[in-house]
Every structure is written in structure tokens, then in C-alpha cells.
Amino acid sequence: VTTDRERALRQLLEKDAQIEELQEEKKGLAREVRQLQNIVQELRGSIRVFCRLRPPLLEGAPLCLRAETGQQLAIRKPNGGRRQEFVFDRVYAENASQQDLFEEIDPLLPEILDGMHVCIFA
């Protein structure tokens, strides 16, 4: 009976050691991920400006804003006035979903939790 108990205790101690080892490995990997995310944010720039177009309030209303590319926005008055173009880090068309925006903001969340200063205007 004691040998079964001793064997079970030994197995339990081995499992505890494995768990502790895995937890240390997880901490190291989390540090590495944080460092890599910081490098990505530095490469992208500390200030980025995104623009999200909203759908027109009235169906069939003339559109004066148009996302030309993923970074360019064109504005034209409905009466055919002159056209102006603006460039942003990212332009989201009127059909962009919340998920599209979240995917762009998601990498910032761990930094916020780590105490980094982040500002998001909506």
C-alpha cells in the first residue's frame, strides 16, 4: 500500500515540476511576444491616423467621400466641385466591419495592459 502511495506521490511531484517548468517557459514566451510587438509598433510609428467612412444616412444620397485605396480618401462636393485627396495610415470604407477595425487595434491591447500610454479616438 505504501509503495502505491509513494509512487503516486512521486508522479504528483513530477507533474508539479513539469507544470512549473511549463509556466516558466510561458513567461519567457510572453516576454518575447511583448518585445516583438513593441518592435512592430516602433516600425509602424508611434502616431497613426485611421479614417473610417460611415454609410450615407439616406439611401441613394450622393456620396461625397470615397475610399480610393486602403490609405487614400477622396472628397468631392455633391454638385461636382473640386476634388480633394487625403492620405491616412489606413482608410476603412463604409462597408468595413467592427472586426476589421478591431484587428488593427488588437496588437495595442497588451501594451495598454502593460502600462503603455495609448490613445484611441472614436
Side-chain angles (χ1 to χ4, degrees):
V1 175
T2 48
T3 57
D4 288 342
R5 191 177 284 161
E6 288 172 354
R7 189 175 332 123
L9 183 59
R10 247 191 328 262
Q11 288 176 344
L12 183 61
L13 291 173
E14 288 172 6
K15 296 293 182 190
D16 282 345
Q18 288 175 346
I19 289 171
E20 197 171 312
E21 189 178 310
L22 289 172
Q23 286 175 335
E24 286 302 315
E25 185 179 347
K26 180 182 173 186
K27 285 179 187 177
L29 291 172
R31 271 192 302 274
E32 186 178 341
V33 165
R34 244 182 278 119
Q35 290 171 345
L36 292 172
Q37 285 175 333
N38 288 340
I39 291 170
V40 168
Q41 293 306 323
E42 286 176 23
L43 291 173
R44 284 183 163 179
S46 59
I47 298 176
R48 289 176 279 154
V49 180
F50 302 147
C51 178
R52 182 181 187 187
L53 302 178
R54 66 171 174 77
L57 293 175
L58 301 172
E59 282 193 40
L63 295 175
C64 57
L65 295 174
R66 196 172 93 202
E68 297 285 308
T69 66
Q71 295 180 318
Q72 189 173 2
L73 169 71
I75 299 176
R76 182 183 302 254
K77 290 186 178 182
N79 61 4
R82 77 181 179 129
R83 173 187 162 109
Q84 291 183 310
E85 293 181 359
F86 298 91
V87 177
F88 298 90
D89 290 300
R90 183 84 162 90
V91 173
Y92 293 94
E94 56 273 352
N95 60 351
S97 68
Q98 289 294 98
Q99 182 66 31
D100 295 333
L101 278 91
F102 178 76
E103 287 174 4
E104 191 75 42
I105 302 301
D106 184 42
L108 299 175
L109 298 178
E111 292 181 14
I112 294 169
L113 296 174
D114 287 342
M116 299 289 283
H117 296 285
V118 175
C119 181
I120 300 171
F121 288 105

